[in-house]
Amino acid sequence: MKIMKTARFCMLCLMALLLAAVASCAVRARYRSLQRLRAEYAALYLGNLSRYSFLQYSQAGPDQGRTALKQYLALLQRIRAERIPYPARTLHADCGLTYLRLYRLESSVGNLAAAKDYMRSAQKEFAALGWKSDSTSETALSKLIRIREASEARLYNTDGSEESTIDGDRQEERRGR
Amino acid sequence: MKATILAICALVGLVTGYFAAPIASYGYLRAKEPDMFGAFLFFLVDNEIACNCQNQPPNESLKTVKNSISILQGWRNQNPNSQMLAQEIGLAQVRLSRVEEALGDEAQAEEGLNAARIELAPLGWKDLSAAHLIALTTQLDSEYRPKKENKEVASLTAK
């Protein structure tokens, strides 16, 4: 009888230990560890995808560039939707820049409706950063991305050619006429 | 007496659980979000190439890059459709070719470039000339800097 009582007490102690361990592990993981790890991994993943998508955009054709940029954008949107801790301003800036690249890409292949949608999305992102309306106008943003891509072409394209940039410019000229 | 023992057990459980949480989170993420976890490993390999090769003599760099390529190829065997891995392997092959050229092994350097072309051509890359690939990886390596927690939004207009 005494052995039974002792065994029952030991089981009770073990249960208490396990329950307390699971509870404290769950609470810490849910509110701290998991969030921190996800934030850390998300930042690394964004870094990888950012470089991959940029290189696909600048080195490959429009289809490959579009696919890679959309993949990057999907991760940015996932981070926003799942509320993974990440600096909100950086998220707006990265989304805005990606929308602008997609705008340039769609302009260059003549998908003007899609280009317009991307420009609108970019304007929203930059407005959320507190940029004034004259800085988020279509003219200002298309000039901004044109200048940026021209300098990127000098760095990442050996001959300094700006194929997509030039194509985009042509489209924009056509639209202006 | 019994209540004290029970309380001590609960306390030990609380402490154990508290310290086990980071390991449990790591395991959870590894199982549930392999893409996010993969990014962490990818970052480590990427850093090894960029960080170590800049400050190493060519012989050491050769080992580092070859090791990184074999790790990347191992992952690619698990994710055969990953274009990000294909791009990274292609760029690493170009780096390997640069190191071999620095060691005076022209034939191996050319072979490395051809291996890079095999990786990058299916990704739609337009310019696969040796000059361009070497200039591109040199530019990318020059941009390497330790990870910053917060990127400056201002960098958007900086270049």
Side-chain angles (χ1 to χ4, degrees):
Chain A
M1 190 67 183
K2 198 176 177 186
I3 294 170
M4 281 287 284
K5 266 188 174 177
T6 312
R8 209 184 306 155
F9 181 68
C10 285
M11 285 293 286
L12 198 66
C13 288
L14 192 67
M15 284 281 286
L17 191 141
L18 285 177
L19 279 176
V22 169
S24 80
C25 180
V27 169
R28 191 182 180 200
R30 167 116 167 72
Y31 293 104
R32 195 176 161 88
S33 308
L34 211 49
Q35 294 235 14
R36 283 179 67 176
L37 268 183
R38 286 189 93 202
E40 184 84 3
Y41 288 178
L44 296 176
Y45 196 16
L46 270 184
N48 297 339
L49 256 188
S50 161
R51 196 177 73 150
Y52 161 74
S53 63
F54 170 70
L55 286 175
Q56 284 298 96
Y57 174 66
S58 64
Q59 307 295 319
D63 289 343
Q64 292 91 348
R66 183 187 294 112
T67 307
L69 286 173
K70 282 185 172 178
Q71 201 181 339
Y72 178 50
L73 198 56
L75 179 64
L76 289 166
Q77 285 165 344
R78 179 181 158 193
I79 286 171
R80 187 175 283 168
E82 292 181 12
R83 298 177 185 276
I84 295 173
Y86 194 78
R89 292 182 65 80
T90 310
L91 210 53
H92 283 304
D94 288 349
C95 281
L97 179 61
T98 310
Y99 282 128
L100 284 183
R101 290 199 198 283
L102 283 163
Y103 158 79
R104 293 277 289 166
L105 194 148
E106 297 301 351
S107 298
S108 75
V109 296
N111 293 337
L112 300 184
K116 226 173 173 54
D117 282 347
Y118 285 130
M119 175 53 82
R120 268 197 291 271
S121 301
Q123 286 172 320
K124 276 184 201 161
E125 297 293 344
F126 290 115
L129 279 174
W131 287 22
K132 288 178 185 151
S133 58
D134 51 342
S135 306
T136 59
S137 68
E138 186 170 343
T139 319
L141 287 181
S142 59
K143 188 181 172 194
L144 172 74
I145 190 66
R146 204 164 52 231
I147 293 169
R148 185 185 168 101
E149 290 191 351
S151 81
E152 283 170 351
R154 278 192 292 277
L155 287 173
Y156 301 100
N157 292 331
T158 314
D159 56 359
S161 72
E162 300 157 35
E163 227 170 290
S164 62
T165 310
I166 291 163
D167 286 349
D169 290 347
R170 282 195 202 123
Q171 284 295 332
E172 276 164 32
E173 272 170 32
R174 254 179 259 154
R175 286 168 62 197
R177 272 179 213 152
Chain B
M1 179 65 179
K2 277 186 179 177
T4 312
I5 294 172
L6 212 58
I8 289 170
C9 285
L11 197 68
V12 169
L14 281 175
V15 173
T16 311
Y18 182 83
F19 286 109
I23 303 161
S25 306
Y26 179 85
Y28 176 84
L29 271 186
R30 188 175 180 168
K32 289 281 174 190
E33 295 181 25
D35 52 347
M36 288 267 192
F37 182 75
F40 168 62
L41 303 175
F42 197 85
F43 171 80
L44 292 181
V45 172
D46 211 31
N47 253 23
E48 189 186 41
I49 300 180
C51 171
N52 290 341
C53 289
Q54 283 179 359
N55 306 312
Q56 282 179 339
N59 271 328
E60 293 289 313
S61 293
L62 191 71
K63 276 185 205 157
T64 306
V65 181
K66 276 185 173 172
N67 182 41
S68 301
I69 290 174
S70 80
I71 293 171
L72 290 169
Q73 282 171 335
W75 289 343
R76 207 246 298 268
N77 292 339
Q78 294 166 19
N79 309 281
N81 298 324
S82 169
Q83 297 206 325
M84 200 156 84
L85 275 172
Q87 190 191 80
E88 199 59 28
I89 291 170
L91 293 173
Q93 296 279 14
V94 179
R95 291 186 178 101
L96 182 65
S97 164
R98 277 168 45 202
V99 176
E100 274 160 347
E101 191 158 15
L103 288 166
D105 196 339
E106 295 287 331
Q108 281 293 317
E110 190 54 40
E111 207 174 289
L113 274 177
N114 286 335
R117 288 182 185 117
I118 290 168
E119 294 292 344
L120 298 173
L123 297 181
W125 282 38
K126 289 178 275 191
D127 188 352
L128 294 171
S129 66
H132 174 62
L133 293 177
I134 288 169
L136 181 66
T137 51
T138 309
Q139 172 61 32
L140 291 172
D141 290 349
S142 74
E143 290 166 7
Y144 170 78
R145 61 186 87 79
K147 186 176 85 81
K148 273 188 177 174
E149 284 298 323
N150 294 316
K151 270 192 283 176
E152 282 297 317
V153 173
S155 71
L156 190 68
T157 52
K159 278 183 181 173

